[in-house]
């Protein structure tokens, strides 16, 4: 009883500290995952907490389950439209990129730690993939706003590169154990099985989970639980059959988040909390598992390995993988810089320990050191790097404040509530003047804590709450509407997107005649939209095309169609 009470006390204290840290550390620019890891280290064997924890099997189980939940939540929040922009480059990064990273780090690790090349490659495979928890945390922060091409590539890569890293790690572990009987054909068979079963069972599991939730009558509080355990079941079945459970659970989440599902708003809120719990728990456990004093002898070669990964291996992998896709060089540099490592390498680093390899402890320590350096160096600089490269898009408001409530008896419809920022461009307008679709309805207005009668609505004020009944498909447009700004933020957006708005259907000849820019004569009868697409291939919001001393900037998109352009004229 005393042991149980003490364990609950310790767990409650560590989680409480970690949760409270989320309210403080973002203001200081500190990566949250680094904070969770440090809390675990401080509580561990070498820290003031002095907790001795060396159960690698339990850590592997906790890390795997947590990562499955994080990937399901990440898929659930990824719009399917992102795949049009980011799927092909992300898949190249998730396959070719992981192979290149593994090869470079494998060679360096074998040389620095005096390992056989197979064991060096095992180190490379362990740290070869980017981390879903770290990337999803990066993309959800308010300090970084990137264009859709970068964010989609990062997001999809982190959700799909685990099969390659897992396959390489498992294959190399088997090879080190029995080099005479395990070869290239066995590794290839493992890869095909992992990917084929991961894709097939992920889609099948997602479909069955959606059907189950939409057809089975349960208490409202049980739908989020059914979803969570359904995701874990999809992972377990796929992994048990030899497939990639991580890929399956990500695809199931992707299907789930892009289909009409009953109780979706409450499920999404619940999954968000569970994903945070998984991230905190995973990094706390990894912090407890690590023993920094044991790493002193390997610190210098591990630091060199981390530097090679950050400054050479990842940039080379990105450059080679993105060669066919015409990414601007600034975006390639940024994608190369933010290849964060986190929980995935630490989970993979437990595989050699569980297999009983001779140098397994060395592999774990090196992986931990690389993760720590990655979170400090890369995690701390994601926002400054975006600003330095001119990729940080201007903020829209401090934040879109939207609360979702399920609408009983419907699928795909929700009641949402928005809080108007004082800088919103909607302030001063009447509710009936808002450009809202006919089948959406404003149902209430709350001001100063009181529900305002319809006849007294008048004009909107900063701090008002507007509640609407809407289709889930309209939420991106509504978010954009309620993000519209005035004042200084509007000036910043105008500076970024251009002083003038110009129709994408205008002819190139009109721009030539008005401003005398030089373009190929064969393109003068084209529309600006066609001209930009021919140069940029797959334009996204924020893309710029320089014409002489001016720039055309993509302001708005409808799927893959440009609907608004900005024109930036030279100053002075």
């Amino acid at each position: 009883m005393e042991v149980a009470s003490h364990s609950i006390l310790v767990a409650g204290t560590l989680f409480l500290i970690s949760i409270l840290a989320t309210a403080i550390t973002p203001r200081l620019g500190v990566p949250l995952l680094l904070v969770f890891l440090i809390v675990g280290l401080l509580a561990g064997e070498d820290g003031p907490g002095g907790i001795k924890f060396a159960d690698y099997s339990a850590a592997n189980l906790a890390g795997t389950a947590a990562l499955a939940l994080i990937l399901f939540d990440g898929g659930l929040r990824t719009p399917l439209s992102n795949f049009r922009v980011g799927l092909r480059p992300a898949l190249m990064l998730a396959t070719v990129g992981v192979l290149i990273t593994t090869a470079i780090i494998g060679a360096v690790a074998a040389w620095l730690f005096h390992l056989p090349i197979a064991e060096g490659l095992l180190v490379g495979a362990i740290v070869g993939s980017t981390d879903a928890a770290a990337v999803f945390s990066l993309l959800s922060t308010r300090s970084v706003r990137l264009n859709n091409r970068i964010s989609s590539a990062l997001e999809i890569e982190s959700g799909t590169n685990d099969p390659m890293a897992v396959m390489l790690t498992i294959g190399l572990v088997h090879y080190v154990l029995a080099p005479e009987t395990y070869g290239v054909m066995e590794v290839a068979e493992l890869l095909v099985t992992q990917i084929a079963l991961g894709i097939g069972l992920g889609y099948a599991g997602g479909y069955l989970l959606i059907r189950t939730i939409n057809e089975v009558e349960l208490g409202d509080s049980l739908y989020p639980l059914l979803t969570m355990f359904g995701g874990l079941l999809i992972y377990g079945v796929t992994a048990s059959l030899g497939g990639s459970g991580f890929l399956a659970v990500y695809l199931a989440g992707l299907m789930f988040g892009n289909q009409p599902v009953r109780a979706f708003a409450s499920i999404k809120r619940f999954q968000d909390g569970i994903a945070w719990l998984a991230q905190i728990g995973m990094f706390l456990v990894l912090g407890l598992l690590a023993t920094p004093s044991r790493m002193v002898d390997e610190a210098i070669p591990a630091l060199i390995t981390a530097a090679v990964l950050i400054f050479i291996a990842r940039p080379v992998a990105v450059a080679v993988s993105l060669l066919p896709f015409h990414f601007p060089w600034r975006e390639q540099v940024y994608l190369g810089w933010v290849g964060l490592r986190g929980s995935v390498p630490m989970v993979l680093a437990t595989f050699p320990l569980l297999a009983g390899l001779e140098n397994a402890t060395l592999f774990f320590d090196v992986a931990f050191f690389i993760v720590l350096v990655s979170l400090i160096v890369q995690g701390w600089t994601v926002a400054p790097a975006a600003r330095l490269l001119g990729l940080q898009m201007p903020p829209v408001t401090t934040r879109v404040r939207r609360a979702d409530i399920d609408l009983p008896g419907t699928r795909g419809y929700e009641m949402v509530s928005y809080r108007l920022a004082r800088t919103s461009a909607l302030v001063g307008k009447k509710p009936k003047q808002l450009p809202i679709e006919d089948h959406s309805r404003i149902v209430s207005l709350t001001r100063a804590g009181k529900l305002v009668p319809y006849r007294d609505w008048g004009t909107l004020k900063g701090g008002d709450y507007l509640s609407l009944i809407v289709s889930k498909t309209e939420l991106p447009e509504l978010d954009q509407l309620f993000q519209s700004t005035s004042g200084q933020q509007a000036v910043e957006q105008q500076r970024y997107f251009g002083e003038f708005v110009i129709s994408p259907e205008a002819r190139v000849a009109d721009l030539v005649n008005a401003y005398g820019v030089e373009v190929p004569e064969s393109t003068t009868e084209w529309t600006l939209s066609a001209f930009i697409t021919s140069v940029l291939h797959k334009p996204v919001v924020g893309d710029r095309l320089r014409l002489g001393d001016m720039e055309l900037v993509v302001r708005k998109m409808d799927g893959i169609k440009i609907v608004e352009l900005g024109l930036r004229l030279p100053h002075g």
Side-chain angles (χ1 to χ4, degrees):
M1 180 66 73
E2 185 177 345
V3 173
S5 301
H6 181 70
S7 299
I8 292 171
L9 172 64
V10 171
T13 302
L14 293 179
F15 274 92
L16 187 63
I17 292 171
S18 300
I19 291 169
L20 292 175
T22 65
I24 302 169
T25 52
R27 302 174 188 175
L28 306 175
V30 182
L32 278 173
L33 300 184
L34 175 62
V35 174
F36 304 153
L37 192 63
I38 289 174
V39 171
L41 282 171
L42 292 175
E45 185 176 350
D46 284 353
I51 299 173
K52 294 184 178 181
F53 179 74
D55 192 337
Y56 293 103
S57 180
N60 178 274
L61 174 61
T64 301
L67 187 57
L69 292 171
I70 291 166
L71 284 167
F72 184 80
D73 182 69
L76 185 148
R77 296 173 188 280
T78 302
L80 203 56
S81 59
N82 286 8
F83 273 61
R84 298 192 189 103
V85 177
L87 179 60
R88 290 194 299 162
L91 289 181
M92 284 293 286
L93 289 168
T95 52
V96 175
V98 172
L99 286 171
I100 292 173
T101 303
T102 298
I104 294 175
I105 296 302
V108 171
W111 174 58
L112 288 172
F113 296 102
H114 309 291
L115 296 170
I117 189 62
E119 295 190 15
L121 289 171
L122 180 55
V123 174
I126 288 170
V127 300
S129 65
T130 57
D131 184 64
V135 170
F136 293 149
S137 176
L138 155 69
L139 296 178
S140 65
T141 181
R142 282 176 277 172
S143 62
V144 182
R145 184 171 178 241
L146 304 167
N147 72 42
N148 195 37
R149 182 168 47 239
I150 303 174
S151 59
S152 297
L154 283 171
E155 196 171 63
I156 299 170
E157 177 200 7
S158 69
T160 57
N161 64 4
D162 296 323
M164 179 63 76
V166 170
M167 179 276 297
L168 289 173
T169 302
I170 293 174
L172 286 164
V173 167
H174 284 303
Y175 178 80
V176 172
L177 286 172
E180 300 84 7
T181 59
Y182 203 87
V184 175
M185 291 304 297
E186 286 76 14
V187 172
E189 182 182 350
L190 178 65
L191 175 62
V192 172
T193 304
Q194 288 259 311
I195 293 178
L197 288 177
I199 293 174
L201 294 177
Y203 278 115
Y207 173 78
L208 290 175
L209 185 58
I210 293 169
R211 285 292 302 272
T212 302
I213 287 177
N214 284 340
E215 300 296 335
V216 176
E217 294 293 336
L218 296 171
D220 291 343
S221 59
L222 293 178
Y223 288 112
L225 291 173
L226 175 61
T227 304
M228 180 186 74
F229 287 109
L232 289 175
L233 178 63
I234 291 168
Y235 173 88
V237 169
T238 308
S240 297
L241 294 175
S244 171
F246 294 136
L247 179 59
V249 79
Y250 177 73
L251 292 177
L254 183 71
M255 286 188 65
F256 194 92
N258 288 276
Q259 295 290 328
V261 178
R262 180 180 2 201
F264 184 74
S266 59
I267 289 171
K268 189 167 62 174
R269 282 195 301 272
F270 178 81
Q271 282 296 137
D272 186 49
I274 289 297
W276 273 110
L277 179 67
Q279 290 185 54
I280 294 171
M282 184 164 47
F283 278 87
L284 286 177
V285 168
L286 295 175
L288 288 171
L289 200 61
T291 308
S293 61
R294 193 179 63 200
M295 304 178 190
V296 173
D297 292 340
E298 293 94 21
I300 298 301
L303 182 61
I304 295 172
T305 307
V308 171
L309 174 63
I310 294 171
F311 294 105
I312 299 175
R314 171 67 180 181
V316 169
V318 168
V320 174
S321 300
L322 298 184
L323 273 176
F325 304 110
H326 309 285
F327 270 61
W329 70 267
R330 288 184 178 85
E331 296 182 7
Q332 292 192 45
V333 170
Y334 190 74
L335 286 167
W337 181 251
V338 295
L340 287 113
R341 267 60 186 175
S343 56
V344 175
M346 301 308 303
V347 172
L348 296 182
T350 62
F351 288 6
L353 287 160
L354 297 176
L357 295 188
E358 181 182 354
N359 291 313
T361 302
L362 171 66
F363 302 153
F364 183 88
D365 291 347
V366 172
F368 180 85
F369 200 94
I370 289 173
V371 168
L372 189 62
V373 172
S374 176
L375 290 175
I376 292 172
V377 176
Q378 295 170 296
W380 222 311
T381 57
V382 289
R387 289 193 293 269
L388 181 65
L389 292 166
L391 299 175
Q392 174 77 299
M393 295 177 64
V396 279
T397 61
T398 53
R399 189 179 185 180
V400 178
R401 298 179 178 270
R402 188 185 89 205
D404 303 347
I405 303 171
D406 292 310
L407 196 60
T410 68
R411 297 176 192 169
Y413 281 84
E414 299 176 11
M415 182 178 289
V416 299
S417 183
Y418 288 93
R419 181 180 184 274
L420 262 66
R422 302 193 183 279
T423 57
S424 173
L426 303 180
V427 171
K429 293 180 180 288
K430 294 182 178 181
K432 64 181 180 181
Q433 295 176 320
L434 301 186
I436 295 174
E437 297 289 339
D438 290 341
H439 49 277
S440 296
R441 292 288 183 272
I442 299 174
V443 294
S444 70
L445 187 150
T446 306
R447 181 174 292 150
K450 296 181 179 179
L451 194 64
V452 180
Y454 174 76
R455 62 180 179 275
D456 297 331
W457 280 4
T459 58
L460 298 173
K461 299 179 181 179
D464 285 354
Y465 284 88
L466 270 179
S467 297
L468 309 90
I469 294 175
V470 300
S471 167
K472 191 177 76 170
T473 58
E474 296 174 34
L475 290 178
E477 289 75 16
L478 283 173
D479 283 349
Q480 190 172 27
L481 174 65
F482 283 92
Q483 284 175 339
S484 60
T485 57
S486 60
Q488 181 58 37
Q489 288 182 337
V491 172
E492 290 180 17
Q493 289 190 52
Q494 186 183 60
R495 186 181 299 119
Y496 184 88
F497 287 114
E499 294 87 347
F500 304 102
V501 176
I502 186 169
S503 169
E505 298 307 311
R507 295 184 311 152
V508 174
D510 298 331
L511 204 64
V512 171
N513 294 334
Y515 297 102
V517 296
E518 293 186 4
V519 297
E521 188 174 345
S522 60
T523 65
T524 54
E525 295 304 315
W526 293 9
T527 64
L528 292 176
S529 176
F531 181 67
I532 290 174
T533 303
S534 72
V535 177
L536 301 179
H537 300 281
K538 286 190 176 180
V540 296
V541 172
D543 268 356
R544 306 175 189 183
L545 179 62
R546 179 170 290 278
L547 296 173
D549 293 331
M550 66 179 63
E551 278 185 329
L552 288 171
V553 188
V554 179
R555 292 176 65 100
K556 290 182 182 178
M557 299 281 296
D558 180 10
I560 59 174
K561 179 182 178 183
I562 301 172
V563 296
E564 188 175 293
L565 291 172
L567 180 63
R568 299 183 64 188
L569 298 177
H571 296 280

